[in-house]
Amino acid sequence: MRALIAAVTGLALAFALVLALTELGTPTGETSPKPLLTTVPPHP
Amino acid sequence: MHRRAALILLALAVFFAALSPLTRWYAFPRLAKIPADQYQDMVLVAKDATLLDYGTMTEREVPEVTIVQTLKGNVEASEKIERTTDRDVVVWDGLSYVQGPDGEMVSKIPERYIFDAHTQEPVHARGEMVDGDPVRREGLEFKWPFLTEPRDYAYFDAQARITAPIHYKGTRDFRGVEVYYFEQTIPWTEVPFPRTMPVEGITRETVAKTGTTRWYTTVRKFWVEPVTGAPVYGEEIHKEELRGGTLLGDREKVTAFAGHVKMREDYIDHTVDLVSSQRVVVLLMTSYLPWGFLGLGVLLLALALCVEARGRAADGPGTGEAVTSEPVTA
């Protein structure tokens, strides 16, 4: 019984961690102030 | 003591074993996406090209034509679309600026490309356009999806505003990176004149009145790194003609542009380096971490069983249950 509880705890923690990370996502950031280029840049 | 340690190890084993498929099939599809704020530029060059002189309406050989392509993520526009679509959306405002050998503008074509940040499928929303003309894209443009498959894809051609297959032609090595090579041929197709013409006073509408039409054909080649879906190199064998109408006088057709367009060398190096680093990040989510977690889970499970077995051995037979004898009173 205790083994089963330990296994379920591990599983629940894994789900909680992954769900929290995906829910957090990645920041969207801001639109770059750099213009659409009409000159040839010297290098990338 | 042994039993407690074994239970903790078992919980950790299940934790890591469960993380393995969760990382690959739950977290990766949700976390891997094109950032909405990305800004990138690319320079392509056509050496020894043919270009139309709009002043005299004659074609001339030029040493070099340069195409500067910029893609800028419009975060505000993507957030606005996301409110109505329930998807992570990226809006790229792009500009293809073509410059002649003397630095003069040959053409500039803006476009807005809206797509799903995870799958790169086009998202149809107001504002989707090429050179001010509303379009409804199908298929890919600029980038392939993460974990690109070795098969044909549909690719949107911005000049002709059509979607056509881009064929997988094999796996190759490009400067030490394993890539999938794709090729698309757009046969001679009538296409609209750009809204911005190189000569002041000439517009799409005034040209249309002369009856002259613009035709285009291209062979588009992409070398795509399959893990990231990012092209590391591209080429185009591009030809444009003006046909018929009073603008050409007695001539049937004239070449407006003909050239073999290739990425500039410094941009190739930069792109290969960038894609190689991004490839590691994607592989971390799809391969390194899932397999690592699975291995760790198996290892911890074996350790848990070992500790449990040693615990039972240390307890010895019959010592598991403590029996206390009480004096019997008659």
Side-chain angles (χ1 to χ4, degrees):
Chain A
M1 187 63 187
R2 279 185 294 179
L4 188 66
I5 292 169
V8 169
T9 307
L11 193 64
L13 281 174
F15 268 95
L17 179 69
V18 170
L19 286 172
L21 279 176
T22 50
E23 200 58 39
L24 218 62
T26 47
T28 44
E30 287 179 358
T31 304
S32 170
K34 289 194 267 185
L36 295 171
L37 300 177
T38 53
T39 52
V40 181
H43 55 80
Chain B
M1 183 62 191
H2 277 107
R3 201 151 271 183
R4 194 170 187 172
L7 287 172
I8 291 169
L9 285 171
L10 176 65
L12 285 171
V14 174
F15 173 76
F16 284 112
L19 269 187
S20 170
L22 281 171
T23 305
R24 171 64 186 82
W25 285 291
Y26 187 86
F28 171 70
R30 286 160 181 81
L31 290 176
K33 63 177 188 177
I34 305 294
D37 61 344
Q38 199 167 5
Y39 178 96
Q40 58 192 48
D41 55 58
M42 176 62 60
V43 175
L44 302 114
V45 177
K47 298 267 186 205
D48 304 320
T50 307
L51 202 60
L52 180 68
D53 183 333
Y54 277 87
T56 58
M57 288 308 281
T58 52
E59 56 192 59
R60 60 187 173 124
E61 299 296 317
V62 294
E64 190 174 289
V65 172
T66 310
I67 300 155
V68 184
Q69 199 168 58
T70 322
L71 294 172
K72 177 160 135 170
N74 188 326
V75 178
E76 293 76 26
S78 65
E79 284 173 348
K80 200 174 166 187
I81 296 165
E82 278 172 3
R83 284 196 281 271
T84 57
T85 56
D86 194 32
R87 294 169 86 170
D88 280 334
V89 171
V90 174
V91 175
W92 274 349
D93 287 331
L95 182 71
S96 289
Y97 184 86
V98 184
Q99 187 176 288
D102 309 321
E104 78 281 9
M105 188 268 289
V106 173
S107 76
K108 55 174 179 180
I109 300 181
E111 61 178 297
R112 175 167 280 192
Y113 175 37
I114 308 167
F115 61 97
D116 185 294
H118 302 281
T119 64
Q120 276 82 81
E121 284 170 14
V123 173
H124 306 299
R126 207 185 156 123
E128 187 184 3
M129 63 90 179
V130 175
D131 201 17
D133 299 329
V135 292
R136 190 179 168 84
R137 284 179 177 80
E138 299 299 336
L140 311 166
E141 197 182 356
F142 301 114
K143 189 193 172 293
W144 270 249
F146 294 109
L147 308 180
T148 298
E149 295 167 23
R151 63 171 173 88
D152 296 355
Y153 282 85
Y155 193 90
F156 181 77
D157 182 284
Q159 285 276 358
R161 278 78 150 161
I162 56 165
T163 299
I166 189 159
H167 300 288
Y168 167 73
K169 297 263 184 178
T171 302
R172 298 184 184 178
D173 181 275
F174 185 82
R175 303 195 181 188
V177 180
E178 190 186 87
V179 293
Y180 291 167
Y181 172 63
F182 291 92
E183 199 174 290
Q184 182 190 49
T185 302
I186 302 289
W188 282 107
T189 308
E190 188 181 343
V191 293
F193 279 91
R195 283 188 190 272
T196 309
M197 300 288 279
V199 178
E200 226 172 289
I202 297 182
T203 64
R204 181 193 276 191
E205 290 72 26
T206 56
V207 175
K209 279 178 195 164
T210 66
T212 302
T213 51
R214 179 172 172 245
W215 292 73
Y216 144 93
T217 182
T218 198
V219 178
R220 182 171 283 127
K221 301 171 179 185
F222 278 114
W223 286 254
V224 177
E225 195 289 304
V227 175
T228 57
V232 291
Y233 183 60
E235 282 185 13
E236 229 180 273
I237 302 165
H238 185 121
K239 288 177 194 161
E240 286 177 35
E241 286 178 359
L242 302 188
R243 296 183 185 176
T246 55
L247 204 62
L248 305 185
D250 56 352
R251 290 169 299 172
E252 203 174 287
K253 62 183 181 183
V254 63
T255 301
F257 173 73
H260 192 155
V261 182
K262 297 175 179 179
M263 269 168 71
R264 203 172 73 186
E265 191 57 37
D266 52 348
Y267 274 86
I268 301 173
D269 294 340
H270 173 72
T271 308
V272 169
D273 289 348
L274 185 71
V275 171
S276 300
S277 65
Q278 291 298 309
R279 183 176 185 272
V280 175
V281 178
V282 177
L283 281 175
L284 198 71
M285 295 284 289
T286 56
S287 180
Y288 302 156
L289 280 178
W291 284 112
F293 286 149
L294 190 66
L296 194 59
V298 170
L299 195 76
L300 286 166
L301 181 67
L303 206 61
L305 291 172
C306 196
V307 170
E308 175 67 17
R310 282 183 68 178
R312 288 189 182 193
D315 287 347
T319 54
E321 297 287 326
V323 180
T324 52
S325 50
E326 301 244 339
V328 178
T329 50

